[in-house]
Structures are given as C-alpha cells and as structure tokens.
Amino acid sequence: GDSLSLGKVDIENPIAMGLNIALKAAQGRGVFVARVASEDVDGYSSVLEKAERNSNIYALAPLTDDLGVQELFKAHVSAMSTEDKKRWRRCYLGTNSPYSYPVVVKDSTTMIRPEASITQHRGTNTRVVDESGNFVDLSIRPGDLFRTSYHSIDGIESYKEYIVKEVVTNEELLLKSGPENPTTLPVGYEVHKNDSVSNIVDYVGKRSSHFANRRVVNVWTDGARYTTGSGQLALNNFYLAAEIAALRSALQPHQGLTNVQTETVASASTMYTKYTEDDLNNIAAEGTWVVTQDYESSPVYIRHQLTTNTDNGSLYYEDSVGTNLDEISYVVNDALNAYIGVRNADVAVVSEIYNKVFSLLYDRTKTVTGVDIGPQIAGYSDLTVSIDDTFKDRINVSVSLELPLPLNTIVVTLNTTATLGDVAVTQTAAVQADSTGKLLSVDGLNNS
C-alpha cells in the first residue's frame, strides 16, 4: 500500500507510520496493510479473518501492545501453521516498558478487591496482613505501591497510596508509612509495581514467557527515540516490531538477525544507562527479542534473534531456523500441489515426486552466488516417497533435514611468549578448573 493514501506519516497516525517503516525495511518487497474498525480484539479479528485467505502473507506485526490482540495473533499464526492449512506464519509483537502496573487488583468477575488489615508495627500503622495474600509469590518488592481507602465521587475513583518498605511473608508486608488510623477490620486494597529495573525485567520477561511459541517474537527496547524534523520523539515498540517483521521477509530465510542494526531507532540511551548486562541476560532468557545500544552514538542493534520459545533448544529459539524451515516447506508444498488431482497415485508418480523433492533439497545444500551466509540446508537423509498402505490415493513423503544454526559465539585464545634479548622465554600456563570448566587459576599470560 501507499502510506500517503493513509494520511500523514506521523506518530499520531500509526497505520501510515507503521507502513512507512515497514516499506523501508522490506527493501523493495511488497507490504500488506489493513485498517481495523476498532482498536480491540473484535477489530483485529475481522482483519485476520481476511488474512486467512491470503497465501502471500507471512510475517505479521499488529500496531498495538494490547495483550488480548497479541494473543489473538499468536492463535492465528499457530492455527495457520499446520499440516492441514499449510500457510506457515510468524508474528512480531512489541512490548513497552511499563511505568507502573497492577499485580494485586479486584476480581474481574465480582469486581471486589482483596482485603487486608492495617495495624501498628513499631508504633506506626504500617503492618499489612492479608491471610490469603501471596506477596512473595508475586515478587512484590520494596518501593512497590500499596493502594487503599478507595472511594468514588461522581464516578471518579480515588485512593490513598503508600510505599512498600519490606515483604515479610506471602501474607504480610510493611509500609514506609501508612494510614493515620489503624483498622482491625479488613479494607480493600491493590498493589501496583513501580517503575524499577527489576519490575520492568519481570514484566517484559513474563510477557515473553506467556507466549512461549517459536512463531511469536516479543520485541523490547527501553527509551527508544526516532528522529524527526523537530527533534527526537519517543517510539512505541510495535513500530520496531513492524520494521523487524518486514526485514525478516526481505532477507534470506536462513539469515540470522542477531547484531543487525535497526534503522528506525536513532537512540536508546536507557539501555546502557539503566540496565546491566545481567538485566538484559535475564530478560532475554525469558524469550525476549532485545534491541539495545552499548554507548552514546553507537549503533542500535538486535542483541539476539530470539523467539519466545526458549525451552526446546536452538531449533526453536533461533528465529532464522524457523523461517528457513518455513521457506523449505512452502517450496516443497507448492511443487507437490501441482500433482494433486491431475496425476494418479502409481509407481511412475512416486518416482517423479522423489526426484522433484530430492532436487529441491539438493539445490538448497549448495551455496548461492552472492549469498555469503552459506546454504539453506547442511544436509538431508532418509528421503522416502511411497503410496500409503491404507489410503491408496495418498502418497507419503518423509525426509530428515539438518538445518544450519547462526553463528552466535567466537572464542579466541591468545597464547603469548616474550623475548628477552636473544633468549625466548615462554610462559607456561598451569590451569586448574572446577567441574563446570570455570578457570580457577592461571600461571602465565592468556587472554581468552
């Protein structure tokens, strides 16, 4: 589509801005765009119903961070990527860092808040006890926000807010300061997370692990800015997801995106001023596609091309492995569809199909001129094509593929000697390691 026909390309017009970003990242390939009648699950459901019939769609990126809509896209790509549908798809979602967010709230059915007593601790009214609480399990931390004394005036709800000082048990926490008067009667309350690094890491990480699907990518960065004529403005992460989805479709299917620079984000300074490497490791470990920056004016890049399924090995969590397999699946499916209904299930067609599949796979074991990343398939074996023993109008094709993994780590060891005058002195390293292989002591000079 033409972004100009959708209005001004501006942060206030997400559909035009998102399309413009995607078109630049798509490197000349087409991009589909659709309006929604409403910014909710119903609005997006209508669009996805139409998308089901379009076999040319692959990477989807909804321009929203609404969890309900994102779950809808997860369900869509999972339903389309089956042996029956054969329209393998992926979705790229954006999650923003929260300012504060609720963890203990009123019941969505009864609309009743949990209740707790607030009594004295060391002479002040700061002891909160909820016999049904789970403060520890919910990772409530010092600095989080305890809200109570809710009341409504003319439909506007207000409350009083206090800061958590300490979490004692699942049922008890202490406040830095509390209500003026203690209450032995339970009162309604909520607990909200504050905008700390630990809470953001928890929030985004749980969002990723919630999806837990190799076809779903959760893109996150903090403090992203993009450049306009009037300066730099804050950028929603769903725009970044749109860029990555388009880039994914433009590149070779087996090309990894780790370390690839993004074009949309001009700076993300809080990624190096606010978060440590351990913070980023923790958030990535939950299956988060982190976009980061190392220092001022340095490139903004993809830290690791992770899907949200991190529990089943690299074949599941490396995005390029999945896109590679999808491309192979599409090619084989398209080639074999030509036989359906126009050929008989006999020995001749079995032999022809075997040769066709063999040729398609063999071609992908060869390095293509101009493609430096190498071949799509490292090898394949056990290719079998046969008429089904029970359903004689069915031909079964089976093959074992070995797909390449992206290069993520290079380990360099520099062994050093020193020369004194005419005499060469060699440092001999005496190495002791524990059971995990961790280096304990070294007598010598070794950079690794």
Side-chain angles (χ1 to χ4, degrees):
D2 180 1
S3 60
L4 294 178
S5 66
L6 299 171
K8 183 180 178 181
V9 177
D10 186 82
I11 195 72
E12 300 297 330
N13 186 13
I15 190 169
M17 177 119 178
L19 176 60
N20 188 60
I21 288 171
L23 282 171
K24 290 179 180 178
Q27 302 179 16
R29 295 201 175 195
V31 174
F32 290 94
V33 63
R35 293 185 185 274
V36 293
S38 56
E39 281 283 340
D40 52 24
V41 170
D42 289 340
Y44 281 90
S45 293
S46 178
V47 169
L48 289 180
E49 287 175 4
K50 297 176 182 178
E52 287 184 12
R53 297 186 289 273
N54 191 332
S55 60
N56 297 312
I57 293 175
Y58 181 64
L60 297 93
L63 298 177
T64 178
D65 56 5
D66 180 87
L67 181 59
V69 173
Q70 292 181 340
E71 289 173 335
L72 181 70
F73 273 73
K74 171 189 173 180
H76 172 82
V77 298
S78 296
M80 298 300 291
S81 304
T82 64
E83 61 182 23
D84 295 327
K85 290 285 188 180
K86 297 180 176 64
R87 290 182 179 174
W88 299 276
R89 293 180 180 178
R90 312 177 78 77
C91 63
Y92 295 79
L93 313 173
T95 292
N96 296 310
S97 299
Y99 291 103
S100 65
Y101 59 96
V103 286
V104 181
V105 292
K106 58 187 175 183
D107 185 271
S108 59
T109 302
T110 64
M111 304 303 290
I112 298 175
R113 290 184 174 88
E115 295 184 332
S117 63
I118 304 174
T119 57
Q120 288 193 345
H121 174 75
R122 295 182 179 177
T124 60
N125 304 319
T126 61
R127 183 172 183 261
V128 176
V129 176
D130 178 357
E131 298 295 345
S132 301
N134 53 352
F135 301 131
V136 175
D137 294 342
L138 291 173
S139 299
I140 306 301
R141 296 185 174 93
D144 288 342
L145 309 173
F146 179 86
R147 297 175 179 176
T148 189
S149 301
Y150 283 89
H151 64 279
S152 181
I153 300 177
D154 297 331
I156 300 175
E157 190 173 58
S158 64
Y159 53 83
K160 292 185 177 179
E161 185 175 270
Y162 307 93
I163 297 174
V164 174
K165 178 181 180 181
E166 180 184 348
V167 178
V168 182
T169 65
N170 260 332
E171 295 79 27
E172 179 181 352
L173 56 79
L174 302 178
L175 308 176
K176 286 188 175 181
S177 64
E180 293 181 0
N181 300 312
T183 172
T184 56
L185 296 176
V187 294
Y189 75 93
E190 293 184 2
V191 179
H192 291 239
K193 288 286 192 177
N194 72 350
D195 189 23
S196 69
V197 169
S198 296
N199 286 339
I200 291 173
V201 170
D202 281 352
Y203 177 87
V204 180
K206 287 178 180 177
R207 189 95 160 200
S208 298
S209 60
H210 171 78
F211 295 118
N213 189 301
R214 73 181 183 87
R215 296 191 173 277
V216 179
V217 163
N218 185 31
V219 179
W220 170 81
T221 190
D222 190 87
R225 297 290 186 271
Y226 79 103
T227 302
T228 68
S230 56
Q232 289 192 353
L233 298 178
L235 186 74
N236 196 301
N237 282 337
F238 59 62
Y239 290 122
L240 193 52
E243 177 187 2
I244 291 169
L247 183 62
R248 177 71 275 172
S249 298
L251 300 180
Q252 294 292 325
H254 56 307
Q255 182 171 343
L257 291 178
T258 296
N259 273 345
V260 171
Q261 296 181 29
T262 65
E263 299 297 327
T264 304
V265 181
S267 68
S269 60
T270 56
M271 294 302 290
Y272 57 84
T273 60
K274 187 174 181 178
Y275 301 91
T276 66
E277 282 299 305
D278 285 342
D279 293 329
L280 299 184
N281 287 339
N282 290 336
I283 206 168
E286 298 296 327
T288 306
W289 182 299
V290 177
V291 175
T292 191
Q293 187 177 24
D294 292 336
Y295 54 88
E296 186 177 0
S297 300
S298 67
V300 179
Y301 65 95
I302 296 165
R303 193 171 186 262
H304 194 163
Q305 54 149 24
L306 291 169
T307 75
T308 55
N309 188 333
T310 60
D311 294 332
N312 294 294
S314 54
L315 291 179
Y316 285 77
Y317 67 66
E318 291 288 356
D319 186 63
S320 60
V321 174
T323 56
N324 189 16
L325 181 58
D326 286 346
E327 196 275 344
I328 296 168
S329 300
Y330 268 117
V331 168
V332 172
N333 182 67
D334 291 346
L336 299 189
N337 259 345
Y339 292 89
I340 303 297
V342 297
R343 299 290 296 272
N344 291 329
D346 54 25
V347 175
V349 82
V350 165
S351 177
E352 192 171 329
I353 288 175
Y354 181 95
N355 291 334
K356 172 69 72 173
V357 174
F358 184 95
S359 177
L360 289 172
L361 298 180
Y362 179 76
D363 288 345
R364 281 162 175 74
T365 64
K366 302 301 179 184
T367 300
V368 178
T369 302
V371 179
D372 296 332
I373 57 177
Q376 273 187 260
I377 299 176
Y380 63 95
S381 60
D382 303 323
L383 174 60
T384 61
V385 182
S386 61
I387 298 174
D388 192 90
D389 292 337
T390 303
F391 303 99
K392 299 300 182 179
D393 62 342
R394 176 187 297 174
I395 290 179
N396 298 321
V397 181
S398 176
V399 64
S400 297
L401 302 178
E402 182 182 351
L403 300 182
L405 291 175
L407 175 59
N408 289 326
T409 305
I410 298 176
V411 178
V412 178
T413 301
L414 302 177
N415 298 303
T416 309
T417 62
T419 301
L420 303 177
D422 296 327
V423 181
V425 179
T426 303
Q427 295 278 22
T428 302
V431 180
Q432 179 183 359
D434 64 9
S435 60
T436 65
K438 182 180 178 181
L439 194 63
L440 298 180
S441 63
V442 175
D443 178 19
L445 183 60
N446 181 299
N447 285 351
S448 59

